[in-house]
Amino acid sequence: EAQVTQNPRYLITVTGKKLTVTCSQNMNHEYMSWYRQDPGLGLRQIYYSMNVEVTDKGDVPEGYKVSRKEKRNFPLILESPSPNQTSLYFCASRGQREGYEQYFGPGTRLTVT
Amino acid sequence: GNSVTQMEGPVTLSEEAFLTINCTYTATGYPSLFWYVQYPGEGLQLLLKATKADDKGSNKGFEATYRKETTSFHLEKGSVQVSDSAVYFCALTPGGGSTLGRLYFGRGTQLTVWP
């Protein structure tokens, strides 16, 4: 089954404790992205990757890091989480052709206290 | 720049009512346009898309037409059902080049349909 998986689905952590949210896709997609969803703000793109070792900033990259060492994986790293990073996070992937839909993972709800 | 403005909710309708959710955009180049739906507690699913001017996307009774002259992509459904209750997001991918990895979303419209 074609899918995007994220782990963990739920995470409660404390300020400053480094964490990683994993994302994996099995569709051999070139593009992968991370978004955060906040009430009243919709979804905002954090980082995206166009292929292995190619990443770029989205609209809200501050406080986040990503890496793309393998085509299927695109982890999101919070080196020193802060309470304003409490949010619902989605990973997505899509194929290379223009107009292809993005496939979204189920989401990770992160709470930073 | 690139942005999407959509009608803010919440929208509350009775079953079988007509639905319109307005969406307008600004974009560089020739964008592709999308409507995504998010059911309670779930991720986003593509509802429909249009990749060039005058294209009509349709799925599950929903329709939207890519209007370049009015920079709009309004979502419509003739007769909504309780099961359509969800949050709807309008989105765009700019045309061409290094912006292909970008996806810009509107703020979402919460739709509630009562029986």
Side-chain angles (χ1 to χ4, degrees), chain A residues 8 22 29-31 37 46-47 53 56 61 65 67 71 80 82 92-93 96 98-99 105 107 109:
Chain A
T22 64
H29 283 165
E30 290 76 16
Y31 293 93
Q37 183 178 12
I46 303 171
Y47 270 96
E53 302 291 4
D56 207 349
K65 283 177 58 177
S67 68
K71 198 171 186 180
S80 184
S82 62
S93 72
Q96 194 165 14
E98 198 165 340
R109 185 164 293 282

Side-chain angles (χ1 to χ4, degrees), chain B residues 9-41:
Chain B
V11 174
T12 304
L13 295 173
S14 298
E15 208 165 26
E16 299 184 3
F18 184 85
L19 169 71
T20 300
I21 301 177
N22 290 336
C23 172
T24 58
Y25 68 89
T26 58
T28 54
Y30 299 95
S32 295
L33 302 174
F34 308 87
W35 278 99
Y36 283 85
V37 59
Q38 185 179 31
Y39 297 104

Side-chain angles (χ1 to χ4, degrees), chain A residues 3 8 13 16 22 26 29 32 42-43 53 56 59 66 73 77-78 80 85 94 99-101 104 112:
Chain A
Q3 61 182 350
T13 189
T22 64
N26 63 0
H29 283 165
M32 296 187 75
L43 281 87
E53 302 291 4
D56 207 349
D59 296 313
V66 293
N73 296 323
I77 302 157
L78 285 71
S80 184
Q85 292 178 298
R94 57 163 273 205
Y100 273 11
E101 70 176 278
F104 283 81
V112 184

Side-chain angles (χ1 to χ4, degrees), chain A residues 31 33 35 37 40-43 45 48 50 57-59 90 94 98-102 104-106, chain B residues 30 32 34 36 38 42-44 46 49 51 89 93 95-96 98 100-107:
Chain A
Y31 293 93
S33 292
Y35 300 86
Q37 183 178 12
L41 297 177
L43 281 87
Q45 197 166 22
Y48 64 100
M50 288 176 281
K57 296 176 181 178
D59 296 313
F90 289 101
R94 57 163 273 205
E98 198 165 340
Y100 273 11
E101 70 176 278
Q102 295 216 10
F104 283 81
Chain B
Y30 299 95
S32 295
F34 308 87
Y36 283 85
Q38 185 179 31
E42 298 185 11
L44 276 75
L46 180 70
K49 68 181 180 186
T51 58
F89 293 94
T93 291
S98 62
L100 280 176
R102 297 302 312 272
L103 185 61
Y104 296 87
F105 283 90
R107 295 189 175 189

